[in-house]
């Protein structure tokens, strides 16, 4: 498993590529993610990938962990790393990627984990030579913090892409990764 370390202004995270998605903390966070989507949007407007979707070859799934001894691990035993956030990038075509499954654990909000994940996802996009990275996110107030973060990273509103359709519960955004 390839690992990156990302340092934000508020916390240090160990960013890992996860191809298996079998760790109990990973499956638990993805369950939290899907439950959050169901609480904010009707079923026909939820485009989150399930475990099988995230395991597809065109998807790179990242996790952000706090490691024991960094003074911030809070899950169970102090010898166990704590999963704080996840996110993925899906290749739509050789020049276009899509951000998927961005989620920070409710216990770890506002600590920079999502920013660390998004920074790494955009670095992957640049390495792959994507001219564009897009995303679909919700439009209800529960998504306001995510929308603000995406704007800070240079994402701007765009129309539906990759087979999505307009609906009142979706917002579409895009960025040119070389400009971030």
């Amino acid at each position: 498993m390839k690992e990156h370390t990302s340092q934000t202004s508020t916390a240090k995270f160990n960013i890992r590529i996860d191809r298996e998605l079998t760790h109990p903390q990973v499956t638990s966070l993805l369950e939290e993610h899907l439950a959050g989507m169901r609480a904010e949007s009707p079923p026909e407007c939820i485009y989150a990938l399930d475990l099988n979707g995230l395991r597809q070859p065109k998807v790179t799934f990242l996790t952000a962990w706090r490691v024991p001894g960094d003074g911030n691990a809070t899950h169970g035993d102090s010898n166990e790393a704590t999963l704080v956030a996840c996110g993925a990038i899906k290749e739509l075509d050789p020049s276009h990627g899509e951000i998927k499954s961005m989620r920070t654990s409710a216990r770890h909000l506002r600590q920079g984990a999502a920013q660390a994940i998004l920074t790494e996802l955009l670095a992957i996009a640049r390495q792959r030579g994507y001219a564009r990275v897009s995303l679909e996110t919700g439009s209800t107030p529960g998504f306001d913090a995510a929308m603000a973060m995406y704007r800070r990273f240079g994402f701007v509103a765009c129309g539906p892409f990759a087979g999505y359709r307009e609906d009142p519960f979706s917002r579409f955004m895009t960025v040119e990764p070389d400009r971030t």
Side-chain angles (χ1 to χ4, degrees):
M1 187 178 305
K2 184 177 179 186
E3 296 189 13
H4 303 277
T5 299
S6 179
Q7 178 74 44
T8 68
S9 61
T10 58
K12 183 177 180 180
F13 304 99
N14 182 271
I15 307 293
R16 304 174 187 172
I17 294 175
D18 185 342
R19 303 230 183 265
E20 298 171 5
L21 291 84
T22 56
H23 192 286
Q25 290 185 55
V26 172
T27 56
S28 178
L29 183 56
L30 288 170
E31 288 169 7
E32 179 183 328
H33 176 59
L34 291 172
M37 299 302 100
R38 288 190 286 274
E40 294 284 337
S41 303
E44 66 274 12
C45 299
I46 297 173
Y47 304 105
L49 296 175
D50 62 11
L51 283 171
N52 288 331
L54 290 167
R55 289 182 181 124
Q56 296 304 307
K58 290 190 178 241
V59 177
T60 301
F61 183 77
L62 301 182
T63 53
W65 299 80
R66 291 206 194 255
V67 293
D70 72 0
N72 294 308
T74 58
H75 185 273
D77 177 325
S78 63
N79 293 323
E80 183 179 7
T82 303
L83 178 64
V84 295
C86 64
I89 189 162
K90 177 182 179 182
E91 183 170 299
L92 299 175
D93 65 51
S95 66
H96 191 188
E98 178 184 8
I99 301 296
K100 298 294 293 181
S101 301
M102 287 288 298
R103 187 65 172 202
T104 301
S105 167
R107 295 184 314 264
H108 302 284
L109 295 172
R110 314 286 184 270
Q111 297 175 22
Q115 292 177 56
I117 289 280
L118 188 54
T119 296
E120 293 295 330
L121 292 172
L122 292 173
I124 290 169
R126 284 189 290 278
Q127 290 169 355
R128 292 179 180 172
Y130 293 161
R132 180 175 162 205
V133 174
S134 303
L135 62 87
E136 179 276 337
T137 192
S139 64
T140 60
F143 295 96
D144 288 349
M147 294 281 292
M149 180 188 68
Y150 296 135
R151 284 188 199 102
R152 285 192 305 276
F153 274 80
F155 282 83
V156 295
C158 68
F161 60 92
Y164 288 107
R165 66 188 189 309
E166 284 286 349
D167 71 64
F169 291 91
S170 292
R171 295 291 176 262
F172 304 95
M173 301 181 86
T174 195
V175 69
E176 295 176 19
D178 282 339
R179 295 188 176 188
T180 60

